[in-house]
Amino acid sequence: KAGVTQTPRYLIKTRGQQVTLSCSPISGHRSVSWYQQTPGQGLQFLFEYFSETQRNKGNFPGRFSGRQFSNSRSEMNVSTLELGDSALYLCASSLEGLAGQETQYFGPGTRLLVL
Amino acid sequence: DAKTTQPNSMESNEEEPVHLPCNHSTISGTDYIHWYRQLPSQGPEYVIHGLTSNVNNRMASLAIAEDRKSSTLILHRATLRDAAVYYCILMYSGGGADGLTFGKGTHLIIQP
C-alpha cells in the first residue's frame, strides 16, 4: 500500500505571495491532518479534515486554510506569505481521525522557504 | 491537554537496549500513550501505542507503569538507523481536538 505523499517537496516563494500544498493520504483513510514544523516552535497542529469537512483547527491565523476532496486528497493554502511561514509542512492521514486508538501516518513534508 | 515530560537527549551504543522514559503525571483514564519518532529530514513515524497494558511490536516495546503516570519505550537492540527524535504523546480516546501535541521529544544518539 502506498504511503502518504506530499507535493511539491520543496518550494520557494516571496513575501505576499500565496501557496498551495497537496497531500494524498493512504488509500482508505478518510482523515487528513496538517502540521507546521519550525526549529523554534516544533510541530504544531494546523487543522484536520474528515470526509471533506474541517473537523478540528489549531491556533493559526485565517491566512492558513485547507480543503479536502471526495477522494480524501487534501490541499492547504497559505495566503499573503510572511517570512515566518518558512517551515516544513507535514500532513498525516488515518482511518478515522485523531482518536486515541488511531495511528497517524505522516508524509515526507513540503519544505517552504519564504524570501 | 495532558502534558508529557521527556529528557532532551540520550545516548546509547549500537546493539544495546535503549530505554526512553516519559512522564505524564496528569494522564486521564481515557488517554492513550503514543510514541512517534522523526528521523532526520523525514516526517514523524509511528512507533507504538498503548492504554494500560505493556505492548510489543516489531519495532519496540512499551512499558506502562501501573499508575499510568509514566511509560518507557524500549528499543531492544539499537542500530544507527534508530537515531532520531522520539516523541511521547497522549491522545484522548474521544478524539484530539488539538491534533497530536508534540513536545520537544528526546534526541536519541546512537554511537557505533
PDB file of all heavy atoms in Angstrom, chain A residues 10-49:
ATOM      1  N   TYR A  10       9.645  20.694  -2.253  1.00  0.00           N
ATOM      2  CA  TYR A  10      10.341  21.942  -1.923  1.00  0.00           C
ATOM      3  C   TYR A  10       9.704  23.082  -2.691  1.00  0.00           C
ATOM      4  O   TYR A  10       9.249  22.907  -3.820  1.00  0.00           O
ATOM      5  CB  TYR A  10      11.833  21.857  -2.279  1.00  0.00           C
ATOM      6  CG  TYR A  10      12.543  20.705  -1.618  1.00  0.00           C
ATOM      7  CD1 TYR A  10      12.657  19.474  -2.255  1.00  0.00           C
ATOM      8  CD2 TYR A  10      13.092  20.846  -0.346  1.00  0.00           C
ATOM      9  CE1 TYR A  10      13.304  18.414  -1.640  1.00  0.00           C
ATOM     10  CE2 TYR A  10      13.736  19.788   0.275  1.00  0.00           C
ATOM     11  CZ  TYR A  10      13.835  18.576  -0.375  1.00  0.00           C
ATOM     12  OH  TYR A  10      14.471  17.534   0.237  1.00  0.00           O
ATOM     13  N   LEU A  11       9.703  24.245  -2.052  1.00  0.00           N
ATOM     14  CA  LEU A  11       9.036  25.398  -2.650  1.00  0.00           C
ATOM     15  C   LEU A  11       9.695  26.671  -2.147  1.00  0.00           C
ATOM     16  O   LEU A  11       9.969  26.800  -0.945  1.00  0.00           O
ATOM     17  CB  LEU A  11       7.570  25.377  -2.228  1.00  0.00           C
ATOM     18  CG  LEU A  11       6.499  26.027  -3.075  1.00  0.00           C
ATOM     19  CD1 LEU A  11       6.605  25.618  -4.527  1.00  0.00           C
ATOM     20  CD2 LEU A  11       5.126  25.639  -2.533  1.00  0.00           C
ATOM     21  N   ILE A  12       9.951  27.595  -3.064  1.00  0.00           N
ATOM     22  CA  ILE A  12      10.468  28.909  -2.674  1.00  0.00           C
ATOM     23  C   ILE A  12       9.479  29.964  -3.156  1.00  0.00           C
ATOM     24  O   ILE A  12       9.102  29.970  -4.334  1.00  0.00           O
ATOM     25  CB  ILE A  12      11.864  29.179  -3.278  1.00  0.00           C
ATOM     26  CG1 ILE A  12      12.855  28.131  -2.793  1.00  0.00           C
ATOM     27  CG2 ILE A  12      12.346  30.580  -2.877  1.00  0.00           C
ATOM     28  CD1 ILE A  12      14.227  28.239  -3.425  1.00  0.00           C
ATOM     29  N   LYS A  13       9.054  30.825  -2.235  1.00  0.00           N
ATOM     30  CA  LYS A  13       8.110  31.882  -2.561  1.00  0.00           C
ATOM     31  C   LYS A  13       8.631  33.193  -1.979  1.00  0.00           C
ATOM     32  O   LYS A  13       9.558  33.213  -1.160  1.00  0.00           O
ATOM     33  CB  LYS A  13       6.730  31.575  -1.967  1.00  0.00           C
ATOM     34  CG  LYS A  13       6.023  30.399  -2.612  1.00  0.00           C
ATOM     35  CD  LYS A  13       5.485  30.768  -3.973  1.00  0.00           C
ATOM     36  CE  LYS A  13       4.606  29.673  -4.545  1.00  0.00           C
ATOM     37  NZ  LYS A  13       4.045  30.055  -5.867  1.00  0.00           N
ATOM     38  N   THR A  14       8.022  34.289  -2.398  1.00  0.00           N
ATOM     39  CA  THR A  14       8.383  35.582  -1.815  1.00  0.00           C
ATOM     40  C   THR A  14       7.230  36.098  -0.962  1.00  0.00           C
ATOM     41  O   THR A  14       6.075  35.662  -1.114  1.00  0.00           O
ATOM     42  CB  THR A  14       8.724  36.607  -2.911  1.00  0.00           C
ATOM     43  OG1 THR A  14       7.617  36.701  -3.814  1.00  0.00           O
ATOM     44  CG2 THR A  14       9.978  36.193  -3.675  1.00  0.00           C
ATOM     45  N   ARG A  15       7.557  37.009  -0.071  1.00  0.00           N
ATOM     46  CA  ARG A  15       6.555  37.590   0.822  1.00  0.00           C
ATOM     47  C   ARG A  15       5.370  38.146   0.034  1.00  0.00           C
ATOM     48  O   ARG A  15       5.551  38.760  -1.021  1.00  0.00           O
ATOM     49  CB  ARG A  15       7.175  38.707   1.651  1.00  0.00           C
ATOM     50  CG  ARG A  15       7.906  38.243   2.877  1.00  0.00           C
ATOM     51  CD  ARG A  15       8.470  39.404   3.647  1.00  0.00           C
ATOM     52  NE  ARG A  15       9.415  40.176   2.847  1.00  0.00           N
ATOM     53  CZ  ARG A  15       9.971  41.299   3.250  1.00  0.00           C
ATOM     54  NH1 ARG A  15       9.670  41.814   4.425  1.00  0.00           N
ATOM     55  NH2 ARG A  15      10.821  41.935   2.474  1.00  0.00           N
ATOM     56  N   GLY A  16       4.189  37.919   0.546  1.00  0.00           N
ATOM     57  CA  GLY A  16       2.985  38.447  -0.086  1.00  0.00           C
ATOM     58  C   GLY A  16       2.334  37.480  -1.063  1.00  0.00           C
ATOM     59  O   GLY A  16       1.154  37.632  -1.385  1.00  0.00           O
ATOM     60  N   GLN A  17       3.092  36.507  -1.528  1.00  0.00           N
ATOM     61  CA  GLN A  17       2.507  35.521  -2.452  1.00  0.00           C
ATOM     62  C   GLN A  17       1.642  34.531  -1.673  1.00  0.00           C
ATOM     63  O   GLN A  17       1.587  34.545  -0.450  1.00  0.00           O
ATOM     64  CB  GLN A  17       3.628  34.761  -3.181  1.00  0.00           C
ATOM     65  CG  GLN A  17       4.331  35.560  -4.252  1.00  0.00           C
ATOM     66  CD  GLN A  17       5.308  34.708  -5.050  1.00  0.00           C
ATOM     67  OE1 GLN A  17       6.146  33.982  -4.484  1.00  0.00           O
ATOM     68  NE2 GLN A  17       5.202  34.769  -6.362  1.00  0.00           N
ATOM     69  N   GLN A  18       0.971  33.681  -2.421  1.00  0.00           N
ATOM     70  CA  GLN A  18       0.222  32.614  -1.786  1.00  0.00           C
ATOM     71  C   GLN A  18       0.759  31.276  -2.282  1.00  0.00           C
ATOM     72  O   GLN A  18       1.438  31.209  -3.313  1.00  0.00           O
ATOM     73  CB  GLN A  18      -1.275  32.727  -2.065  1.00  0.00           C
ATOM     74  CG  GLN A  18      -1.693  32.348  -3.446  1.00  0.00           C
ATOM     75  CD  GLN A  18      -3.205  32.130  -3.547  1.00  0.00           C
ATOM     76  OE1 GLN A  18      -3.964  32.434  -2.639  1.00  0.00           O
ATOM     77  NE2 GLN A  18      -3.649  31.598  -4.665  1.00  0.00           N
ATOM     78  N   VAL A  19       0.451  30.209  -1.542  1.00  0.00           N
ATOM     79  CA  VAL A  19       0.981  28.902  -1.905  1.00  0.00           C
ATOM     80  C   VAL A  19      -0.070  27.835  -1.607  1.00  0.00           C
ATOM     81  O   VAL A  19      -0.875  27.973  -0.666  1.00  0.00           O
ATOM     82  CB  VAL A  19       2.283  28.606  -1.128  1.00  0.00           C
ATOM     83  CG1 VAL A  19       2.011  28.442   0.368  1.00  0.00           C
ATOM     84  CG2 VAL A  19       2.977  27.379  -1.667  1.00  0.00           C
ATOM     85  N   THR A  20      -0.092  26.795  -2.418  1.00  0.00           N
ATOM     86  CA  THR A  20      -0.987  25.656  -2.204  1.00  0.00           C
ATOM     87  C   THR A  20      -0.159  24.380  -2.144  1.00  0.00           C
ATOM     88  O   THR A  20       0.648  24.122  -3.042  1.00  0.00           O
ATOM     89  CB  THR A  20      -2.025  25.544  -3.339  1.00  0.00           C
ATOM     90  OG1 THR A  20      -2.814  26.734  -3.358  1.00  0.00           O
ATOM     91  CG2 THR A  20      -2.927  24.343  -3.106  1.00  0.00           C
ATOM     92  N   LEU A  21      -0.346  23.628  -1.079  1.00  0.00           N
ATOM     93  CA  LEU A  21       0.349  22.365  -0.889  1.00  0.00           C
ATOM     94  C   LEU A  21      -0.656  21.234  -0.977  1.00  0.00           C
ATOM     95  O   LEU A  21      -1.804  21.392  -0.572  1.00  0.00           O
ATOM     96  CB  LEU A  21       1.038  22.338   0.487  1.00  0.00           C
ATOM     97  CG  LEU A  21       1.873  23.563   0.864  1.00  0.00           C
ATOM     98  CD1 LEU A  21       2.492  23.362   2.240  1.00  0.00           C
ATOM     99  CD2 LEU A  21       2.921  23.852  -0.176  1.00  0.00           C
ATOM    100  N   SER A  22      -0.206  20.088  -1.464  1.00  0.00           N
ATOM    101  CA  SER A  22      -1.115  18.970  -1.668  1.00  0.00           C
ATOM    102  C   SER A  22      -0.683  17.747  -0.868  1.00  0.00           C
ATOM    103  O   SER A  22       0.510  17.519  -0.657  1.00  0.00           O
ATOM    104  CB  SER A  22      -1.162  18.613  -3.157  1.00  0.00           C
ATOM    105  OG  SER A  22      -2.038  17.540  -3.391  1.00  0.00           O
ATOM    106  N   CYS A  23      -1.671  16.986  -0.446  1.00  0.00           N
ATOM    107  CA  CYS A  23      -1.420  15.778   0.333  1.00  0.00           C
ATOM    108  C   CYS A  23      -2.355  14.676  -0.146  1.00  0.00           C
ATOM    109  O   CYS A  23      -3.583  14.855  -0.176  1.00  0.00           O
ATOM    110  CB  CYS A  23      -1.660  16.056   1.814  1.00  0.00           C
ATOM    111  SG  CYS A  23      -1.587  14.597   2.883  1.00  0.00           S
ATOM    112  N   SER A  24      -1.783  13.519  -0.499  1.00  0.00           N
ATOM    113  CA  SER A  24      -2.594  12.355  -0.866  1.00  0.00           C
ATOM    114  C   SER A  24      -2.468  11.317   0.227  1.00  0.00           C
ATOM    115  O   SER A  24      -1.368  10.813   0.482  1.00  0.00           O
ATOM    116  CB  SER A  24      -2.112  11.778  -2.199  1.00  0.00           C
ATOM    117  OG  SER A  24      -2.392  12.669  -3.252  1.00  0.00           O
ATOM    118  N   PRO A  25      -3.570  11.008   0.905  1.00  0.00           N
ATOM    119  CA  PRO A  25      -3.493  10.075   2.034  1.00  0.00           C
ATOM    120  C   PRO A  25      -3.376   8.633   1.564  1.00  0.00           C
ATOM    121  O   PRO A  25      -3.509   8.338   0.372  1.00  0.00           O
ATOM    122  CB  PRO A  25      -4.828  10.299   2.745  1.00  0.00           C
ATOM    123  CG  PRO A  25      -5.763  10.685   1.641  1.00  0.00           C
ATOM    124  CD  PRO A  25      -4.937  11.485   0.680  1.00  0.00           C
ATOM    125  N   ILE A  26      -3.150   7.759   2.499  1.00  0.00           N
ATOM    126  CA  ILE A  26      -3.151   6.332   2.235  1.00  0.00           C
ATOM    127  C   ILE A  26      -4.559   5.927   1.793  1.00  0.00           C
ATOM    128  O   ILE A  26      -5.559   6.431   2.338  1.00  0.00           O
ATOM    129  CB  ILE A  26      -2.721   5.553   3.495  1.00  0.00           C
ATOM    130  CG1 ILE A  26      -1.240   5.797   3.773  1.00  0.00           C
ATOM    131  CG2 ILE A  26      -2.999   4.060   3.349  1.00  0.00           C
ATOM    132  CD1 ILE A  26      -0.756   5.234   5.089  1.00  0.00           C
ATOM    133  N   SER A  27      -4.638   5.039   0.821  1.00  0.00           N
ATOM    134  CA  SER A  27      -5.928   4.609   0.300  1.00  0.00           C
ATOM    135  C   SER A  27      -6.826   4.083   1.427  1.00  0.00           C
ATOM    136  O   SER A  27      -6.399   3.271   2.250  1.00  0.00           O
ATOM    137  CB  SER A  27      -5.703   3.504  -0.740  1.00  0.00           C
ATOM    138  OG  SER A  27      -6.931   3.011  -1.212  1.00  0.00           O
ATOM    139  N   GLY A  28      -8.048   4.594   1.480  1.00  0.00           N
ATOM    140  CA  GLY A  28      -8.989   4.167   2.515  1.00  0.00           C
ATOM    141  C   GLY A  28      -9.025   5.061   3.735  1.00  0.00           C
ATOM    142  O   GLY A  28      -9.951   4.960   4.550  1.00  0.00           O
ATOM    143  N   HIS A  29      -8.034   5.911   3.877  1.00  0.00           N
ATOM    144  CA  HIS A  29      -8.012   6.836   5.019  1.00  0.00           C
ATOM    145  C   HIS A  29      -8.900   8.035   4.721  1.00  0.00           C
ATOM    146  O   HIS A  29      -8.824   8.626   3.641  1.00  0.00           O
ATOM    147  CB  HIS A  29      -6.588   7.310   5.301  1.00  0.00           C
ATOM    148  CG  HIS A  29      -5.733   6.273   5.948  1.00  0.00           C
ATOM    149  ND1 HIS A  29      -4.506   6.561   6.509  1.00  0.00           N
ATOM    150  CD2 HIS A  29      -5.936   4.953   6.159  1.00  0.00           C
ATOM    151  CE1 HIS A  29      -3.995   5.452   7.023  1.00  0.00           C
ATOM    152  NE2 HIS A  29      -4.833   4.460   6.816  1.00  0.00           N
ATOM    153  N   ARG A  30      -9.729   8.390   5.693  1.00  0.00           N
ATOM    154  CA  ARG A  30     -10.651   9.500   5.487  1.00  0.00           C
ATOM    155  C   ARG A  30     -10.232  10.776   6.205  1.00  0.00           C
ATOM    156  O   ARG A  30     -10.785  11.844   5.967  1.00  0.00           O
ATOM    157  CB  ARG A  30     -12.053   9.093   5.957  1.00  0.00           C
ATOM    158  CG  ARG A  30     -12.656   7.962   5.139  1.00  0.00           C
ATOM    159  CD  ARG A  30     -14.123   7.794   5.418  1.00  0.00           C
ATOM    160  NE  ARG A  30     -14.368   7.309   6.775  1.00  0.00           N
ATOM    161  CZ  ARG A  30     -15.565   7.278   7.351  1.00  0.00           C
ATOM    162  NH1 ARG A  30     -16.619   7.749   6.697  1.00  0.00           N
ATOM    163  NH2 ARG A  30     -15.710   6.810   8.571  1.00  0.00           N
ATOM    164  N   SER A  31      -9.271  10.679   7.095  1.00  0.00           N
ATOM    165  CA  SER A  31      -8.834  11.848   7.865  1.00  0.00           C
ATOM    166  C   SER A  31      -7.465  12.313   7.390  1.00  0.00           C
ATOM    167  O   SER A  31      -6.553  11.503   7.193  1.00  0.00           O
ATOM    168  CB  SER A  31      -8.762  11.497   9.355  1.00  0.00           C
ATOM    169  OG  SER A  31      -8.080  12.489  10.069  1.00  0.00           O
ATOM    170  N   VAL A  32      -7.336  13.607   7.201  1.00  0.00           N
ATOM    171  CA  VAL A  32      -6.046  14.215   6.871  1.00  0.00           C
ATOM    172  C   VAL A  32      -5.826  15.390   7.825  1.00  0.00           C
ATOM    173  O   VAL A  32      -6.682  16.265   7.957  1.00  0.00           O
ATOM    174  CB  VAL A  32      -5.990  14.712   5.412  1.00  0.00           C
ATOM    175  CG1 VAL A  32      -4.681  15.473   5.177  1.00  0.00           C
ATOM    176  CG2 VAL A  32      -6.106  13.549   4.443  1.00  0.00           C
ATOM    177  N   SER A  33      -4.674  15.386   8.472  1.00  0.00           N
ATOM    178  CA  SER A  33      -4.298  16.489   9.366  1.00  0.00           C
ATOM    179  C   SER A  33      -3.062  17.171   8.815  1.00  0.00           C
ATOM    180  O   SER A  33      -2.241  16.543   8.146  1.00  0.00           O
ATOM    181  CB  SER A  33      -3.982  15.956  10.773  1.00  0.00           C
ATOM    182  OG  SER A  33      -5.094  15.315  11.332  1.00  0.00           O
ATOM    183  N   TRP A  34      -2.931  18.435   9.132  1.00  0.00           N
ATOM    184  CA  TRP A  34      -1.779  19.219   8.675  1.00  0.00           C
ATOM    185  C   TRP A  34      -1.044  19.788   9.883  1.00  0.00           C
ATOM    186  O   TRP A  34      -1.664  20.213  10.880  1.00  0.00           O
ATOM    187  CB  TRP A  34      -2.232  20.378   7.788  1.00  0.00           C
ATOM    188  CG  TRP A  34      -2.706  19.960   6.432  1.00  0.00           C
ATOM    189  CD1 TRP A  34      -3.968  19.598   6.073  1.00  0.00           C
ATOM    190  CD2 TRP A  34      -1.909  19.868   5.241  1.00  0.00           C
ATOM    191  NE1 TRP A  34      -4.014  19.285   4.737  1.00  0.00           N
ATOM    192  CE2 TRP A  34      -2.767  19.444   4.193  1.00  0.00           C
ATOM    193  CE3 TRP A  34      -0.565  20.101   4.942  1.00  0.00           C
ATOM    194  CZ2 TRP A  34      -2.317  19.254   2.891  1.00  0.00           C
ATOM    195  CZ3 TRP A  34      -0.117  19.919   3.649  1.00  0.00           C
ATOM    196  CH2 TRP A  34      -0.992  19.500   2.638  1.00  0.00           C
ATOM    197  N   TYR A  35       0.291  19.821   9.779  1.00  0.00           N
ATOM    198  CA  TYR A  35       1.146  20.332  10.834  1.00  0.00           C
ATOM    199  C   TYR A  35       2.216  21.234  10.234  1.00  0.00           C
ATOM    200  O   TYR A  35       2.653  21.043   9.102  1.00  0.00           O
ATOM    201  CB  TYR A  35       1.838  19.197  11.594  1.00  0.00           C
ATOM    202  CG  TYR A  35       0.902  18.300  12.357  1.00  0.00           C
ATOM    203  CD1 TYR A  35       0.200  17.280  11.719  1.00  0.00           C
ATOM    204  CD2 TYR A  35       0.713  18.473  13.724  1.00  0.00           C
ATOM    205  CE1 TYR A  35      -0.671  16.463  12.415  1.00  0.00           C
ATOM    206  CE2 TYR A  35      -0.149  17.649  14.434  1.00  0.00           C
ATOM    207  CZ  TYR A  35      -0.837  16.658  13.768  1.00  0.00           C
ATOM    208  OH  TYR A  35      -1.693  15.851  14.473  1.00  0.00           O
ATOM    209  N   GLN A  36       2.630  22.216  11.030  1.00  0.00           N
ATOM    210  CA  GLN A  36       3.759  23.072  10.669  1.00  0.00           C
ATOM    211  C   GLN A  36       4.911  22.766  11.611  1.00  0.00           C
ATOM    212  O   GLN A  36       4.706  22.687  12.821  1.00  0.00           O
ATOM    213  CB  GLN A  36       3.375  24.543  10.809  1.00  0.00           C
ATOM    214  CG  GLN A  36       4.479  25.520  10.418  1.00  0.00           C
ATOM    215  CD  GLN A  36       4.224  26.926  10.920  1.00  0.00           C
ATOM    216  OE1 GLN A  36       4.198  27.170  12.125  1.00  0.00           O
ATOM    217  NE2 GLN A  36       4.041  27.851   9.994  1.00  0.00           N
ATOM    218  N   GLN A  37       6.103  22.565  11.066  1.00  0.00           N
ATOM    219  CA  GLN A  37       7.273  22.312  11.915  1.00  0.00           C
ATOM    220  C   GLN A  37       8.339  23.365  11.659  1.00  0.00           C
ATOM    221  O   GLN A  37       8.815  23.533  10.531  1.00  0.00           O
ATOM    222  CB  GLN A  37       7.854  20.922  11.663  1.00  0.00           C
ATOM    223  CG  GLN A  37       8.986  20.572  12.624  1.00  0.00           C
ATOM    224  CD  GLN A  37       9.444  19.138  12.513  1.00  0.00           C
ATOM    225  OE1 GLN A  37       9.330  18.504  11.462  1.00  0.00           O
ATOM    226  NE2 GLN A  37       9.936  18.571  13.604  1.00  0.00           N
ATOM    227  N   THR A  38       8.706  24.080  12.707  1.00  0.00           N
ATOM    228  CA  THR A  38       9.785  25.056  12.648  1.00  0.00           C
ATOM    229  C   THR A  38      10.773  24.769  13.768  1.00  0.00           C
ATOM    230  O   THR A  38      10.405  24.160  14.783  1.00  0.00           O
ATOM    231  CB  THR A  38       9.262  26.498  12.808  1.00  0.00           C
ATOM    232  OG1 THR A  38       8.602  26.603  14.084  1.00  0.00           O
ATOM    233  CG2 THR A  38       8.300  26.867  11.710  1.00  0.00           C
ATOM    234  N   PRO A  39      12.025  25.183  13.618  1.00  0.00           N
ATOM    235  CA  PRO A  39      13.013  24.935  14.680  1.00  0.00           C
ATOM    236  C   PRO A  39      12.600  25.569  16.009  1.00  0.00           C
ATOM    237  O   PRO A  39      12.837  25.012  17.067  1.00  0.00           O
ATOM    238  CB  PRO A  39      14.288  25.578  14.128  1.00  0.00           C
ATOM    239  CG  PRO A  39      14.104  25.571  12.655  1.00  0.00           C
ATOM    240  CD  PRO A  39      12.643  25.783  12.428  1.00  0.00           C
ATOM    241  N   GLY A  40      11.956  26.713  15.962  1.00  0.00           N
ATOM    242  CA  GLY A  40      11.614  27.415  17.194  1.00  0.00           C
ATOM    243  C   GLY A  40      10.379  26.886  17.888  1.00  0.00           C
ATOM    244  O   GLY A  40      10.339  26.761  19.116  1.00  0.00           O
ATOM    245  N   GLN A  41       9.351  26.562  17.126  1.00  0.00           N
ATOM    246  CA  GLN A  41       8.061  26.153  17.696  1.00  0.00           C
ATOM    247  C   GLN A  41       7.813  24.653  17.659  1.00  0.00           C
ATOM    248  O   GLN A  41       6.858  24.165  18.249  1.00  0.00           O
ATOM    249  CB  GLN A  41       6.917  26.867  16.965  1.00  0.00           C
ATOM    250  CG  GLN A  41       6.957  28.378  17.077  1.00  0.00           C
ATOM    251  CD  GLN A  41       6.785  28.843  18.501  1.00  0.00           C
ATOM    252  OE1 GLN A  41       5.992  28.299  19.270  1.00  0.00           O
ATOM    253  NE2 GLN A  41       7.580  29.835  18.894  1.00  0.00           N
ATOM    254  N   GLY A  42       8.657  23.925  16.972  1.00  0.00           N
ATOM    255  CA  GLY A  42       8.432  22.486  16.873  1.00  0.00           C
ATOM    256  C   GLY A  42       7.262  22.172  15.961  1.00  0.00           C
ATOM    257  O   GLY A  42       6.933  22.939  15.065  1.00  0.00           O
ATOM    258  N   LEU A  43       6.627  21.039  16.227  1.00  0.00           N
ATOM    259  CA  LEU A  43       5.488  20.594  15.415  1.00  0.00           C
ATOM    260  C   LEU A  43       4.198  21.152  15.994  1.00  0.00           C
ATOM    261  O   LEU A  43       3.875  20.914  17.158  1.00  0.00           O
ATOM    262  CB  LEU A  43       5.409  19.064  15.425  1.00  0.00           C
ATOM    263  CG  LEU A  43       6.213  18.349  14.365  1.00  0.00           C
ATOM    264  CD1 LEU A  43       6.687  17.002  14.863  1.00  0.00           C
ATOM    265  CD2 LEU A  43       5.352  18.163  13.126  1.00  0.00           C
ATOM    266  N   GLN A  44       3.451  21.888  15.164  1.00  0.00           N
ATOM    267  CA  GLN A  44       2.199  22.482  15.628  1.00  0.00           C
ATOM    268  C   GLN A  44       1.059  22.085  14.699  1.00  0.00           C
ATOM    269  O   GLN A  44       1.204  22.108  13.476  1.00  0.00           O
ATOM    270  CB  GLN A  44       2.323  24.000  15.680  1.00  0.00           C
ATOM    271  CG  GLN A  44       3.297  24.497  16.730  1.00  0.00           C
ATOM    272  CD  GLN A  44       3.294  26.012  16.795  1.00  0.00           C
ATOM    273  OE1 GLN A  44       3.808  26.696  15.923  1.00  0.00           O
ATOM    274  NE2 GLN A  44       2.684  26.549  17.841  1.00  0.00           N
ATOM    275  N   PHE A  45      -0.071  21.769  15.301  1.00  0.00           N
ATOM    276  CA  PHE A  45      -1.255  21.312  14.576  1.00  0.00           C
ATOM    277  C   PHE A  45      -1.946  22.480  13.889  1.00  0.00           C
ATOM    278  O   PHE A  45      -2.223  23.500  14.514  1.00  0.00           O
ATOM    279  CB  PHE A  45      -2.197  20.641  15.577  1.00  0.00           C
ATOM    280  CG  PHE A  45      -3.536  20.251  15.038  1.00  0.00           C
ATOM    281  CD1 PHE A  45      -3.664  19.239  14.106  1.00  0.00           C
ATOM    282  CD2 PHE A  45      -4.684  20.885  15.496  1.00  0.00           C
ATOM    283  CE1 PHE A  45      -4.912  18.867  13.627  1.00  0.00           C
ATOM    284  CE2 PHE A  45      -5.933  20.525  15.035  1.00  0.00           C
ATOM    285  CZ  PHE A  45      -6.051  19.509  14.095  1.00  0.00           C
ATOM    286  N   LEU A  46      -2.231  22.303  12.602  1.00  0.00           N
ATOM    287  CA  LEU A  46      -2.946  23.339  11.836  1.00  0.00           C
ATOM    288  C   LEU A  46      -4.439  23.041  11.798  1.00  0.00           C
ATOM    289  O   LEU A  46      -5.254  23.832  12.244  1.00  0.00           O
ATOM    290  CB  LEU A  46      -2.389  23.423  10.416  1.00  0.00           C
ATOM    291  CG  LEU A  46      -1.069  24.178  10.266  1.00  0.00           C
ATOM    292  CD1 LEU A  46      -0.312  23.711   9.036  1.00  0.00           C
ATOM    293  CD2 LEU A  46      -1.336  25.675  10.187  1.00  0.00           C
ATOM    294  N   PHE A  47      -4.806  21.925  11.202  1.00  0.00           N
ATOM    295  CA  PHE A  47      -6.219  21.531  11.136  1.00  0.00           C
ATOM    296  C   PHE A  47      -6.335  20.088  10.677  1.00  0.00           C
ATOM    297  O   PHE A  47      -5.371  19.488  10.206  1.00  0.00           O
ATOM    298  CB  PHE A  47      -7.039  22.434  10.213  1.00  0.00           C
ATOM    299  CG  PHE A  47      -6.310  23.023   9.040  1.00  0.00           C
ATOM    300  CD1 PHE A  47      -5.804  22.229   8.032  1.00  0.00           C
ATOM    301  CD2 PHE A  47      -6.131  24.392   8.950  1.00  0.00           C
ATOM    302  CE1 PHE A  47      -5.127  22.774   6.955  1.00  0.00           C
ATOM    303  CE2 PHE A  47      -5.458  24.950   7.882  1.00  0.00           C
ATOM    304  CZ  PHE A  47      -4.954  24.137   6.887  1.00  0.00           C
ATOM    305  N   GLU A  48      -7.557  19.559  10.856  1.00  0.00           N
ATOM    306  CA  GLU A  48      -7.873  18.208  10.423  1.00  0.00           C
ATOM    307  C   GLU A  48      -9.118  18.238   9.543  1.00  0.00           C
ATOM    308  O   GLU A  48     -10.085  18.952   9.852  1.00  0.00           O
ATOM    309  CB  GLU A  48      -8.147  17.283  11.614  1.00  0.00           C
ATOM    310  CG  GLU A  48      -8.459  15.846  11.184  1.00  0.00           C
ATOM    311  CD  GLU A  48      -9.460  15.126  12.070  1.00  0.00           C
ATOM    312  OE1 GLU A  48     -10.007  15.756  13.002  1.00  0.00           O
ATOM    313  OE2 GLU A  48      -9.702  13.927  11.817  1.00  0.00           O
ATOM    314  N   TYR A  49      -9.083  17.475   8.473  1.00  0.00           N
ATOM    315  CA  TYR A  49     -10.244  17.310   7.615  1.00  0.00           C
ATOM    316  C   TYR A  49     -10.683  15.848   7.631  1.00  0.00           C
ATOM    317  O   TYR A  49      -9.841  14.933   7.645  1.00  0.00           O
ATOM    318  CB  TYR A  49      -9.938  17.747   6.186  1.00  0.00           C
ATOM    319  CG  TYR A  49      -9.940  19.241   6.043  1.00  0.00           C
ATOM    320  CD1 TYR A  49      -8.797  19.982   6.339  1.00  0.00           C
ATOM    321  CD2 TYR A  49     -11.091  19.921   5.673  1.00  0.00           C
ATOM    322  CE1 TYR A  49      -8.808  21.365   6.247  1.00  0.00           C
ATOM    323  CE2 TYR A  49     -11.109  21.303   5.582  1.00  0.00           C
ATOM    324  CZ  TYR A  49      -9.958  22.013   5.873  1.00  0.00           C
ATOM    325  OH  TYR A  49      -9.964  23.383   5.804  1.00  0.00           O
TER     326      TYR A  49
END
